[in-house]
């Protein structure tokens, strides 16, 4: 039925797939499935926002890339799908216990939590409590078989665009000190229009956060609501790594050392900068910088055995990357990239340049990477040493097999159509978990004998 209708709206569907799907999900049904339309849902409202864009929210203007009649075709297509939704039954029909096979391993997905908006980050304590954030600004803890408990005492977050409550990690000594870290988009105190990425640390007592404070606030604050980065890990030496995106201002920040944007940062557990950071003694450089030239890294993972940190980051249109994150290295954004502008225009001709690192892999078209896990658990013997990346756009989990030199020698698409994948993690219990959006759910990947 949907197919038949889209036939009547000319090139609308093809244009949507080419120009819009990269950010708004490849399935237009997911795009239109929203409680309210911030810019209005009439034909003229949608036309206007597509033509003129909404810069602060990260919606590009298509006035130059598309003609008015092309824009009208996309808008008609979107309206047709909205109409279709009103009359159709949208029960997702998703079976919560599905069996998959990968490398001869039989795997089952178990639903661990639902009723979440966007499970942006998660972590697990040694006693088996799963902690997960909801981007809207909530933090939950959940023991198996029990109801989730909402934790109180959180910082106020900017919940708009790509901003909100993001990642959650525990101090390595959490069993004793109950210290918990949250990354989030923080509003500037004396200027409502500006926000940035920050880390809030607190002590968990019962279901309350106590003695909380911001231990790190990225500079400068910006007026956009996108590219906050925000993934955190702690390595085996106790250093905390945080990613911060370029905030949509690629020419201003990622290649300069006087700011934290478009960087991977390395901090002590109290938020201060370790003295052996690469630019600690560089005049006018931010001491927290570990690597630069990043766009919007929303995945970060750690291979403890080899002491390697990896990130994945969204490219523009095409050019999502996985990088081995090394001390002092420059990953080239926006000087080199495998991507182009969303509107189809060029960013640069350069794919490589001396002094700038090549990614371990890149994706064209973009899969919109988010969340990342390095598999070391014995529970998945055939996946050991593999890197998993979530795909927001294509609704699956991507598995990369690397050789000793970090070259991708094999890849696999796992759990197709499972949902917009936001987070993926190997937890303290050795199981892999991932979170999807629309509707928000967390699954555990359980190997079957
Ligand atoms: C670079 C990513 C990106 C691309 C590409 C993109 N958009 Fe958007 N768009 C956004 C963001 C971010 C928002 C604001 C958040 C949201 O509403 O999803 C937005 C908002 C919108 C809105 C307003 C939604 C509302 O609630 O009022 C419409 C309509 C829209 N986009 C249509 C399109 C169409 C049609 C295309 C393709 C021609 C497109 N977008 C391409 C990122 C993008």
């Amino acid at each position: 039925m949907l197919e038949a209708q889209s036939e009547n709206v000319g090139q609308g569907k093809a244009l949507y797939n080419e120009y819009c799907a990269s950010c708004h999900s490849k399935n237009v049904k997911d795009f239109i499935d929203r409680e309210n339309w911030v810019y209005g849902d009439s034909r003229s409202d949608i036309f206007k926002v597509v033509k003129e864009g909404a810069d602060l929210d990260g919606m590009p203007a298509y006035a130059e890339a598309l003609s008015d009649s092309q824009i009208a075709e996309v808008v008609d297509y979107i309206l047709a799908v909205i109409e279709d939704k009103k009359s159709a039954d949208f029960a997702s029909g998703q079976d919560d216990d599905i069996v998959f096979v990968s490398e001869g391993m039989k795997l089952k997905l178990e639903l661990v939590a639902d009723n979440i908006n966007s499970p942006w980050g998660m972590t697990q304590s040694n006693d088996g409590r799963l902690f997960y954030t909801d981007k809207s600004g909530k933090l939950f803890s959940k023991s198996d078989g029990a109801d989730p408990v909402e934790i109180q005492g959180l910082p106020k977050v900017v919940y708009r665009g790509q901003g909100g409550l993001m990642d959650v990690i525990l101090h390595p000594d959490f069993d004793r000190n109950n210290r918990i870290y949250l990354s989030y988009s923080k509003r500037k105190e004396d200027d409502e229009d500006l926000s940035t990425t920050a880390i809030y640390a607190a002590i968990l007592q019962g279901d309350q956060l106590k003695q909380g404070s911001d231990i790190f606030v990225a500079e400068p604050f910006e007026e956009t609501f996108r590219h906050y980065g925000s993934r955190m890990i702690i390595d085996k030496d106790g250093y905390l790594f945080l990613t911060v995106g370029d905030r949509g201002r690629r020419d201003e920040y990622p290649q300069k050392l006087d700011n934290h944007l478009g960087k991977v940062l390395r901090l002590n557990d109290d938020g201060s900068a370790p003295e052996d950071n690469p630019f600690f003694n560089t005049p006018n450089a931010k001491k927290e910088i570990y690597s630069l030239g990043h766009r919007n890294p929303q995945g970060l993972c750690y291979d403890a055995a080899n002491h390697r940190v990896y990130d994945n980051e969204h490219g523009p249109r095409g050019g999502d990357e996985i990088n081995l994150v090394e001390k002092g290295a420059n990953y080239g954004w926006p000087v080199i990239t495998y991507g182009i502008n969303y509107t189809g225009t060029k960013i640069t001709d350069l794919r490589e340049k001396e002094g700038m690192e090549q990614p371990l892999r890149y994706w064209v078209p973009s899969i919109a990477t988010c969340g990342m896990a390095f598999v070391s658990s014995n529970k998945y013997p055939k996946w050991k040493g593999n890197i998993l990346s979530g795909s927001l756009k294509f609704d699956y989990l991507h598995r990369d097999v690397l050789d000793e030199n970090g070259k991708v020698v094999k890849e696999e698409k796992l759990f197709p159509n499972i949902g917009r994948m936001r987070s993926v993690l190997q937890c303290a219990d050795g199981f892999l978990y991932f979170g999807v959006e629309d509707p928000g759910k967390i699954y555990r990947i359980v190997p079957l004998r």
Side-chain angles (χ1 to χ4, degrees):
M1 176 175 179
L2 184 63
E3 288 303 320
Q5 288 207 2
S6 58
E7 295 292 316
N8 298 335
V9 289
Q11 291 297 305
K13 185 178 183 181
L15 290 168
Y16 178 87
N17 287 337
E18 187 177 351
Y19 289 93
C20 323
S22 53
C23 296
H24 288 304
S25 156
K26 74 169 200 308
N27 190 343
V28 67
K29 282 192 224 165
D30 292 336
F31 167 56
I32 60 133
D33 190 17
R34 46 181 70 214
E35 269 161 34
N36 67 311
W37 291 76
V38 179
Y39 298 92
D41 65 354
S42 73
R43 178 166 311 222
S44 57
D45 291 335
I46 298 180
F47 187 92
K48 183 162 187 278
V49 72
V50 176
K51 185 165 180 180
E52 294 171 14
D55 180 51
L56 296 185
D57 281 320
M59 167 67 196
Y62 282 88
E64 280 171 22
L66 300 176
S67 67
D68 278 6
S69 66
Q70 284 177 311
I71 294 177
E73 286 180 3
V74 185
V75 174
D76 283 344
Y77 172 60
I78 291 170
L79 290 169
V81 179
I82 293 176
E83 268 316 302
D84 199 58
K85 184 191 173 202
K86 284 182 189 153
S87 56
D89 172 21
F90 255 151
S92 76
Q94 194 85 63
D95 191 338
D96 287 333
D97 274 351
I98 322 161
V99 177
F100 295 84
V101 180
S102 168
E103 305 276 6
M105 296 186 300
K106 269 190 171 172
L107 305 165
K108 190 180 83 167
L109 290 185
E110 280 177 8
L111 183 68
V112 179
D114 57 3
N115 290 318
I116 316 160
N117 197 341
S118 166
W120 210 97
M122 55 190 167
T123 187
Q124 191 185 41
S125 54
N126 290 323
D127 61 12
R129 270 177 297 167
L130 187 73
F131 294 91
Y132 56 92
T133 60
D134 190 321
K135 191 177 157 210
S136 63
K138 293 177 179 170
L139 174 67
F140 297 93
S141 92
K142 189 175 183 301
S143 303
D144 251 4
D147 285 338
V149 175
E150 187 177 342
I151 293 175
Q152 308 296 327
L154 270 65
K156 210 169 162 245
V157 309
V158 177
Y159 179 43
R160 176 166 171 186
Q162 296 170 0
L165 182 64
M166 315 283 210
D167 213 357
V168 52
I169 56 170
L170 305 178
H171 190 277
D173 228 1
F174 177 80
D175 292 348
R176 260 167 291 171
N177 65 17
N178 289 305
R179 200 163 152 83
I180 189 162
Y181 298 88
L182 298 169
S183 61
Y184 73 107
S185 0
K186 176 186 173 68
R187 181 152 278 158
K188 193 157 199 256
E189 256 161 48
D190 52 6
D191 191 340
E192 286 279 288
D193 294 335
L194 301 177
S195 65
T196 193
T197 308
I199 301 178
Y200 187 83
I203 308 293
L204 181 67
Q205 283 176 15
D207 57 3
Q208 295 279 334
L209 292 186
K210 296 276 166 76
Q211 302 167 45
S213 66
D214 289 326
I215 60 158
F216 175 77
V217 178
E219 287 172 2
F221 286 69
E222 255 296 339
E223 62 177 357
T224 69
F225 298 100
R226 58 199 154 108
H227 300 188
Y228 290 96
S230 298
R231 285 290 167 197
M232 297 185 285
I233 55 142
I234 294 190
D235 74 3
K236 62 173 193 242
D237 300 325
Y239 295 113
L240 194 168
F241 289 76
L242 168 73
T243 66
V244 182
D246 69 2
R247 303 301 310 287
R249 299 284 183 253
R250 65 183 186 221
D251 297 324
E252 280 160 55
Y253 303 121
Q255 289 296 323
K256 293 183 192 144
L257 292 172
D258 62 356
N259 69 84
H260 294 119
L261 314 186
K263 310 291 181 334
V264 174
L265 309 173
R266 179 174 174 259
L267 312 171
N268 292 313
D269 67 359
D270 63 357
S272 62
E275 286 179 20
D276 60 346
N277 268 1
F279 305 105
F280 192 88
N281 295 312
T282 308
N284 302 322
K286 291 289 185 199
K287 298 182 186 318
E288 295 83 3
I289 297 175
Y290 189 71
S291 63
L292 63 147
H294 298 281
R295 186 171 178 274
N296 187 25
Q298 293 203 85
L300 194 64
C301 69
Y302 183 55
D303 167 9
N306 295 300
H307 192 44
R308 287 185 189 142
V309 175
Y310 298 92
D311 84 345
N312 63 30
E313 43 191 286
H314 290 255
R317 184 165 151 191
D320 292 6
E321 300 181 349
I322 289 185
N323 290 301
L324 174 63
V325 179
E326 291 184 303
K327 191 172 182 171
N330 182 343
Y331 293 85
W333 174 253
V335 181
I336 56 171
T337 175
Y338 289 86
I340 55 174
N341 280 317
Y342 287 106
T343 50
T345 53
K346 255 190 205 166
I347 295 171
T348 164
D349 285 327
L350 297 183
R351 299 277 184 266
E352 47 195 279
K353 192 172 174 181
E354 211 186 312
M356 295 184 174
E357 306 301 319
Q358 283 294 303
L360 295 183
R361 73 154 301 149
Y362 63 90
W363 282 273
V364 175
S366 293
I367 65 166
T369 54
C370 196
M372 195 179 199
F374 183 88
V375 186
S376 61
S377 165
N378 291 326
K379 295 201 187 301
Y380 314 90
K382 302 284 174 49
W383 285 359
K384 256 194 160 173
N386 296 179
I387 289 179
L388 304 177
S389 301
S391 167
L392 286 166
K393 179 178 160 195
F394 293 124
D395 302 345
Y396 75 100
L397 181 62
H398 190 99
R399 181 172 70 96
D400 279 309
V401 182
L402 311 182
D403 67 10
E404 315 83 80
N405 305 318
K407 202 170 159 275
V408 176
V409 290
K410 188 175 177 182
E411 60 181 333
E412 185 183 21
K413 293 181 178 180
L414 296 159
F415 317 122
N417 299 320
I418 194 72
R420 273 173 67 78
M421 202 167 294
R422 185 48 89 182
S423 43
V424 43
L425 191 76
Q426 181 180 302
C427 278
D429 61 11
F431 284 108
L432 290 160
Y433 291 73
F434 63 81
V436 297
E437 299 177 337
D438 302 329
K441 295 180 181 185
I442 295 174
Y443 291 99
R444 173 165 50 218
I445 307 177
V446 182
L448 298 172
R449 305 227 161 246

